Amino acid sequence: RVGLVAKARLREAASLLREIAKWLDERGIDAIFEDETTRTSNFKSERKQLSKTALPKAVDMILVLGGDGTLLAMANRIVQANVDIPILAVNFGSLGFLTEITLPELYPSLESVLAGTAGIDHRHMLRSLVHRQNKVHADRLTLNDVVITKGALASILDLSVSVRDQFVTRFRADGLIISSPTGSTAYNLAAGGPIVHPAVEALVLTPI
């Protein structure tokens, strides 16, 4: 079972979605569409459709058509669903640091997945917890980054960074980006931070 997800309002994807579903049918594989994909791409289908929240629990893999933002959003949904399934990400004319597979490589990549010869690239994720008065107010998992930032009219922030009980550094800034290697090509890069190879076991701290 393969879940199909396309970038929001990507109408050009409609014909390709039909083609992919037919290709999967011919190989005895169920194609299940994310409902927002069919709605915003103006793609009409009688096939099974599920929400972003429900889709990860119903499939064995998700095929994403879009850019890095579409991939990151789907990765977060998979984590929230507490399942461990791979994503095959195909670049569809958007920024593609993470979505490396091009359209001509789509079907050879799918063939490789079905043959069991495709490699799986494991990525580190971040968990962030917000504590206030000894209570946890937020608990999130994410693939790319965690950003501490001020309100629209707030003054500059004084931020102190420690690793376990060891003080590391202090920043006076508008905010701080804590990025995984995967997220180093996102907000971190825009703020002047370094690009880090995904295999590096490190976090990137970039003041804003």
Side-chain angles (χ1 to χ4, degrees):
R1 299 163 299 172
V2 174
L4 299 178
V5 179
K7 179 181 177 180
R9 294 174 294 281
L10 189 64
R11 293 178 180 272
E12 309 93 287
S15 61
L16 183 58
L17 287 167
R18 291 190 191 89
E19 188 180 287
I20 293 170
K22 183 175 182 293
W23 189 93
L24 292 171
D25 282 345
E26 291 168 352
R27 287 152 182 81
I29 298 168
D30 291 334
I32 302 177
F33 290 96
E34 185 250 337
D35 56 5
E36 190 175 335
T37 291
T38 57
R39 186 169 61 254
T40 62
S41 65
N42 201 27
F43 171 60
K44 302 293 189 293
S45 176
E46 301 301 320
R47 295 174 183 275
K48 187 173 182 179
Q49 300 177 29
L50 294 172
S51 68
K52 273 192 180 80
T53 303
L55 187 64
K57 291 186 176 182
V59 297
D60 303 295
M61 183 186 84
I62 289 181
L63 174 62
V64 170
L65 300 176
D68 291 355
T70 312
L71 166 62
L72 291 168
M74 202 63 239
N76 289 344
R77 293 289 185 176
I78 290 172
V79 170
Q80 290 168 17
N82 195 30
V83 294
D84 185 14
I85 58 171
I87 301 174
L88 183 65
V90 179
N91 187 283
F92 208 98
S94 301
L95 185 65
F97 283 107
L98 306 178
T99 49
E100 296 180 353
I101 297 171
T102 62
L103 285 176
E105 297 169 327
L106 168 59
Y107 292 110
S109 297
L110 281 171
E111 290 281 10
S112 180
V113 169
L114 298 186
T117 57
I120 295 179
D121 189 9
H122 295 275
R123 298 292 179 99
H124 296 287
M125 300 191 76
L126 303 177
R127 185 182 185 190
S128 61
L129 294 97
V130 176
H131 294 269
R132 193 175 297 141
Q133 297 178 339
N134 297 320
K135 292 182 180 180
V136 176
H137 284 257
D139 185 352
R140 300 285 188 273
L141 281 165
T142 186
L143 181 61
N144 55 339
D145 55 35
V146 174
V147 179
I148 300 165
T149 188
K150 65 178 186 178
L153 300 177
S155 59
I156 198 165
L157 298 176
D158 286 302
L159 299 164
S160 180
V161 178
S162 297
V163 176
R164 297 186 175 89
D165 296 326
Q166 178 66 50
F167 172 76
V168 176
T169 189
R170 184 171 284 111
F171 296 108
R172 283 179 59 80
D174 287 336
L176 180 65
I177 304 165
I178 301 105
S179 170
S180 68
T182 299
S184 69
T185 55
Y187 193 3
N188 166 74
L189 180 61
I195 296 177
V196 180
H197 190 280
V200 175
E201 294 192 5
L203 297 180
V204 183
L205 301 180
T206 303
I208 304 167

